[in-house]
Amino acid sequence: MTDFYRERQCAESVARRAGHHVVRERARHLDISLKAPHDVVTNVDRSTEELIVEQISNAFPDDAISGEEYGEQERDSDESTDRRWVIDPIDGTLNFAHGVPLYCVSIGFEVAGKTEVGVIYDPNRDELFSAARGRGVHCNGEPLAVSTVDALATSVLVTGFPLGDTQAFEWTMDQFDLLTRGTRGIRRLGSAALDCAYVAAGRLEAFWEYGLKPWDTAAGYLMVTEAGGEVTTIEGGPFSIEDYSIAATNGHIHGELLEVLQSVT
Ligand code: IPD
């Protein structure tokens, strides 16, 4: 098994550099605009994606790169490749724009559609989450594992709301209602990547959401599986970052959670 050591090193150093850029640039100049109703973007999302793309292309010029703000990058190489970097320069842009210090840089690296490396950097807490397939997940060098909580009633969950999709929005509201009553509590942190990292770290038992994009989950879903958790779609099928729904849990409460989530759809 190749361990993608160079790719992981690159993702870690680029994520750190990008995270420092994000904080510095916010203090220097912040320009907020709307991509769509409820979908905020800033000048810093764009300049950070440019920085990440430049650094990854310098290190791996033949690889494909896909980012939230600029989509698929043009490649110089004529060769086709199954190596792709999937990046979110700021996951949690709404928090970032409003000065809530809950956002991160997320970088996933995949080969033939399978994530091999996932790195998430939270510049406000200086926490670097890093995972490689088959090699576990670490936060600032310390190994992580999902929690051992084995009942929904004693779990703390996290979710997000798909505002562009009325049906999935209604499902989420109904699920939120049921699970607020049936668990220890639910959080809405505003960053899907950090939601996954926190499940991997055993801070939260589960995360579910509809309507996410590949860059939101590319790094995070690998972290949850590498920490010993389970990731499927909400319908219970195998998860891919192209899927419309995600349920990422510590594994122990997976079945119980899916039963409640599916009961409203
Ligand atoms: C958003 C965050 C949020 C989730 C949204 C995402 P962005 O990503 O991950 O938690 O609920 O669906 O779009 O836009 O801040 O990169």
Side-chain angles (χ1 to χ4, degrees):
M1 174 171 63
T2 162
D3 66 1
F4 297 107
Y5 179 76
R6 270 189 68 225
E7 287 79 356
R8 188 179 190 173
Q9 291 289 103
C10 172
E12 289 183 2
S13 79
V14 172
R16 263 190 205 285
R17 217 167 301 165
H20 297 151
H21 170 89
V22 165
V23 172
R24 201 173 47 238
E25 289 303 299
R26 185 177 196 287
R28 213 173 60 83
H29 169 63
L30 183 63
D31 180 17
I32 304 170
S33 49
L34 279 180
K35 284 197 271 193
H38 303 293
D39 197 0
V40 155
V41 66
T42 75
N43 57 315
V44 186
D45 293 74
R46 296 200 173 105
S47 68
T48 308
E49 186 159 316
E50 285 160 16
L51 180 151
I52 296 172
V53 167
E54 188 193 332
Q55 310 239 328
I56 291 176
S57 319
N58 286 343
F60 298 99
D62 296 331
D63 289 1
I65 305 178
S66 172
E68 174 169 14
E69 307 310 335
Y70 294 110
E72 212 70 40
Q73 292 291 316
E74 294 276 334
R75 290 167 56 246
D76 291 337
S77 171
D78 293 335
E79 302 284 308
S80 72
T81 181
D82 60 0
R83 293 168 50 97
R84 181 169 76 130
W85 298 77
V86 183
I87 60 182
D88 193 343
I90 305 178
D91 186 59
T93 298
L94 188 60
N95 286 341
F96 171 75
H98 284 252
V100 177
L102 267 173
Y103 51 84
C104 63
V105 176
S106 174
I107 301 180
F109 168 71
E110 60 175 33
V111 179
K114 203 159 102 180
T115 303
E116 296 291 348
V117 168
V119 169
I120 290 171
Y121 182 57
D122 172 351
N124 294 295
R125 274 168 214 73
D126 190 26
E127 285 190 322
L128 184 88
F129 300 90
S130 174
R133 184 172 295 280
R135 290 175 191 267
V137 50
H138 294 77
C139 179
N140 294 349
E142 292 298 317
L144 298 181
V146 291
S147 79
T148 56
V149 173
D150 63 0
L152 262 186
T154 48
S155 294
V156 181
L157 314 184
V158 64
T159 189
F161 300 93
L163 283 159
D165 177 336
T166 29
Q167 184 168 59
F169 179 77
E170 294 306 330
W171 289 340
T172 309
M173 294 308 272
D174 291 346
Q175 292 160 342
F176 194 85
D177 181 337
L178 282 176
L179 289 164
T180 298
R181 299 167 203 275
T183 61
R184 199 161 268 176
I186 304 189
R187 300 289 173 260
R188 200 296 189 231
L189 301 181
S191 163
L194 283 181
D195 295 339
C196 288
Y198 284 12
V199 172
R203 297 173 185 173
L204 300 169
E205 276 62 55
F207 163 58
W208 88 95
E209 189 162 341
Y210 294 97
L212 291 173
K213 299 286 192 257
W215 45 81
D216 295 314
T217 53
Y221 101 90
L222 179 66
M223 282 182 195
V224 175
T225 53
E226 285 300 316
E230 189 170 348
V231 183
T232 66
T233 64
I234 291 173
E235 298 69 40
F239 176 77
S240 121
I241 60 173
E242 310 291 339
D243 277 318
Y244 186 68
S245 73
I246 182 170
T249 75
N250 67 359
H252 310 295
I253 62 160
H254 205 85
E256 208 189 343
L257 176 67
L258 290 194
E259 222 171 279
V260 177
L261 296 177
Q262 290 168 8
S263 71
V264 310
T265 64

